[in-house]
Amino acid sequence: MENAVPEVIDLSCKEAARLMSQRHDRTLTPGETESLKQHLYVCLNCTRFDRQLDFLRRLAQKYAAGGGVEDHPI
Amino acid sequence: MGDAPKSKDRLFLEIESHRGYMVRFATAKLRDAEQAEEVVQEALLAALDAVGGFAGQSTLRTWLTSILKFKIVDFQRRVISERAHIAQAPDDDSADTEWLDRQFDQTGHWKMQFSEWANPDDALQQQQFFAIFESCMDKLPKTASRVFFKREVMGIETEEICKEEEISSSNCWVILHRARVSLRECLERNWFQGAK
């Protein structure tokens, strides 16, 4: 590990939301991860948004596996 | 459940119930609704012929999807050999960026207060909920709908999606973010608000 202290910045909800979404698509930098964590500590609205994004992923995966259609073995 | 083999009609109905999913899957790949319908038709017919090959180790949908993938590749090969590849105009994410900007006030706070969703996992057991999910996906702009489907439903890596769509990574992230914010809102409005 090089220079272990990540740069933590104050995020607006708009910036935090962008990172919460991108977390599903790429690996965040340590600075981004820590900044997002700090924001989520204090922001209920974003915490809900984050949980709902996780749910959206579960929903999409369930859908891909046949969720929503009764699946009878043939 | 009886051991008697299911009638052809019954099988047909079961396979047919996955058509909506398959059309979305094929549309995400082919970007063309008519071609998608055509390929799905071929895949469904092939599935009916080959139904003995379905061993029940995976879900019916997974099995149908593997047939569909094969048919899509086959179709793309045929199309490419028939006519020269026509370059698609690059997608523009400015509309998505503007839409996202409108969700926040000038200080970067959400304009909307989110509610806590009551028992979201119960919704995953209900067929009606998936129908709402489908109609919410259909309401997205075409590119957003396709990119979201590839990323979250088909589970393709972002990098590969960007390549297929001929867009930059940052463009891809904007589109996906827009899709998620929009879907979240759509599910809340059409399901969770009434489910409390």
Side-chain angles (χ1 to χ4, degrees), chain B:
Chain B
M1 278 197 191
D3 288 318
K6 292 186 181 177
S7 69
K8 198 93 180 159
D9 284 354
R10 174 80 192 280
L11 265 170
F12 180 76
L13 280 177
E14 283 186 18
I15 287 178
E16 187 61 30
S17 68
H18 294 273
R19 181 189 282 271
Y21 171 83
M22 293 169 79
V23 168
R24 285 175 179 82
F25 189 102
T27 306
K29 275 290 196 192
L30 297 169
R31 298 195 190 188
D32 183 298
E34 265 176 50
Q35 290 179 353
E37 292 281 356
E38 200 179 310
V39 172
V40 167
Q41 192 61 28
E42 282 181 26
L44 288 172
L45 288 172
L48 275 171
D49 269 352
V51 84
F54 176 65
Q57 286 142 334
S58 55
T59 64
L60 182 57
R61 177 163 295 182
T62 311
W63 180 70
L64 289 171
T65 305
S66 65
I67 296 174
L68 180 61
K69 279 181 187 163
F70 178 80
K71 289 287 173 192
I72 288 170
V73 172
D74 192 46
F75 182 85
Q76 284 170 325
R77 263 195 222 118
R78 265 185 283 153
V79 170
I80 288 165
S81 66
E82 273 168 25
R83 56 180 138 99
H85 178 70
I86 299 160
Q88 225 123 8
D91 283 312
D92 179 7
D93 74 343
S94 57
D96 292 317
T97 307
E98 278 165 29
W99 185 91
L100 280 165
D101 284 346
R102 283 201 299 277
Q103 311 307 308
F104 300 90
D105 65 20
Q106 275 144 345
T107 60
H109 285 90
W110 293 101
K111 278 184 188 161
M112 198 181 167
Q113 197 67 37
F114 303 147
S115 55
E116 191 73 46
W117 289 354
N119 310 315
D121 286 299
D122 288 353
L124 295 179
Q125 308 304 324
Q126 297 185 50
Q127 211 162 328
Q128 187 54 34
F129 180 63
F130 285 88
I132 284 173
F133 177 51
E134 283 188 333
S135 68
C136 287
M137 284 195 287
D138 292 346
K139 276 185 212 138
L140 292 172
K142 276 207 173 84
T143 306
S145 178
R146 192 172 64 236
V147 171
F148 176 84
F149 197 94
K150 285 182 176 175
R151 179 74 195 104
E152 299 286 13
V153 181
M154 293 160 87
I156 302 174
E157 289 303 324
T158 318
E159 213 176 302
E160 202 186 324
I161 299 172
C162 301
K163 230 191 290 165
E164 279 181 9
E165 298 280 329
E166 294 168 29
I167 52 179
S168 66
S169 312
S170 59
N171 201 331
C172 222
W173 293 329
V174 169
I175 291 167
L176 282 165
H177 185 35
R178 188 256 146 86
R180 293 185 180 115
V181 173
S182 205
L183 286 171
R184 191 216 69 79
E185 199 262 334
C186 184
L187 293 175
E188 181 163 292
R189 189 157 30 84
N190 290 293
W191 184 272
F192 291 106
Q193 269 173 6
K196 273 185 232 162

